Amino acid sequence: MAAKLPVPCHIAIVMDGNGRWATRRLLPRVAGHKQGVDALRRCVHACIERGVGVLTVFAFSSENWQRPADEVSGLMELMAMALGREVAQLQKAGVRLHFIGERTRLSDKVRGGLAQAESATAHNTRLVLNVCFNYGGRWEIAHAAAALAARGEPIDEVGLSRAMGMAHVPDPDLLIRTGGEKRISNFLLWQIAYSELYFSDVLWPEFDEAELDAAIADYARRERRFGQTSQQVVAIPIAEKRTA
Ligand code: FPP
């Protein structure tokens, strides 16, 4: 019998390439983002089937406000639409939703939708889906430090980790970026200290189960050392090497 590959407990994804996917088809960029929602739906179900516990995706960055106004409003509408259309299915599939990011600049409709989706799925346990929306890694760290300072608590590693928007999940084991660029773009700066990085040339709307399996297979070949030597970690199975 073939040995079962270790599956990452937490996968994070920079879903890049929607715009190029649309432009190559002479479509507006928002059409690429719509297709991106379909790819995300597929990915959520594929993660559940493979036993991944946490999926974190970058849906809208703090810097994305600088995009053309019609693209920004298209992404906001898409979020409102996706909340209306997808939450019941996610609920049925046992997915718990969390939205990470600054909410004050969002419309009442989107803000209300996020809160409603979180409370409707709060008791689900099959997969945690973190959607980073109006999110930046530097914002998250600065926000956590400000919260600790306001409470008069020490600004140290343990305190900061606990004050992060992502404090409810372990750090990502595997970070995937689609779309061919090899950068982090202000995503999860604190949490990816020891994540394995995987870059795919595939544009996000075309990211499918086979691409996910390729990323997981690549991850399974990595030796995670967390600062130790190869000799120290060689006897420890990968499942026990995950960050707590
Ligand atoms: C980056 O591709 C992608 C985004 C800025 C948005 C990602 C959003 C989704 C996949 C849809 C889910 C989100 C919502 C709002 C429900 P890009 O536009 O930078 O692509 P490019 O590099 O080809 O231009």
Side-chain angles (χ1 to χ4, degrees), residues 18-95:
N18 296 344
R20 275 165 287 163
W21 183 91
T23 305
R24 283 176 198 174
R25 287 163 179 76
L26 306 178
L27 295 168
R29 292 175 57 84
V30 173
H33 297 313
K34 277 194 188 136
Q35 207 68 30
V37 175
D38 294 344
L40 178 53
R41 190 186 308 112
R42 272 201 310 269
C43 188
V44 166
H45 291 287
C47 283
I48 292 173
E49 283 163 12
R50 284 152 184 78
V52 174
V54 184
L55 175 65
T56 300
V57 295
F58 207 177
F60 190 88
S61 82
S62 319
E63 290 75 33
N64 285 156
W65 295 103
Q66 295 159 33
R67 292 193 172 200
D70 62 334
E71 186 173 347
V72 172
S73 61
L75 278 162
M76 292 297 154
E77 275 166 37
L78 197 58
M79 176 52 105
M81 220 168 64
L83 287 167
R85 226 179 29 198
E86 310 285 341
V87 173
Q89 288 302 318
L90 292 171
Q91 167 75 337
K92 228 185 262 173
V95 176

Side-chain angles (χ1 to χ4, degrees), residues 112-222:
L114 303 186
Q116 223 169 11
E118 284 179 333
S119 66
T121 61
H123 301 294
N124 293 336
T125 53
R126 241 173 136 197
L127 176 84
V128 173
L129 174 59
N130 298 308
V131 179
C132 295
F133 196 76
N134 196 19
Y135 170 90
R138 290 178 177 178
W139 167 82
E140 189 189 14
I141 295 168
H143 194 255
L148 291 175
R151 296 198 294 263
E153 293 173 17
I155 302 174
D156 55 19
E157 278 195 34
V158 172
L160 280 168
S161 291
R162 286 190 183 142
M164 294 282 166
M166 291 280 292
H168 59 291
V169 288
D171 289 343
D173 301 294
L174 172 64
L175 171 78
I176 299 172
R177 180 175 185 137
T178 63
E181 311 285 1
K182 292 185 177 60
R183 54 177 171 257
I184 300 302
S185 300
N186 201 14
F187 190 42
L188 304 180
L189 297 180
W190 181 266
Q191 296 84 358
I192 60 165
Y194 286 102
S195 302
E196 297 297 325
L197 309 182
Y198 180 85
F199 298 98
S200 162
D201 288 333
V202 169
L203 303 178
W204 175 250
E206 287 165 352
F207 191 85
D208 58 12
E209 287 83 354
E211 298 297 332
L212 179 67
D213 285 337
I216 292 175
D218 194 84
Y219 165 83
R221 288 193 292 271
R222 310 278 180 96

Side-chain angles (χ1 to χ4, degrees), residues 217-239:
D218 194 84
Y219 165 83
R221 288 193 292 271
R222 310 278 180 96
E223 181 188 69
R224 305 193 73 190
R225 291 201 291 274
F226 299 102
Q228 293 186 299
T229 67
S230 196
Q231 287 76 13
Q232 283 175 298
V233 296
V234 77
I236 308 170
I238 198 162

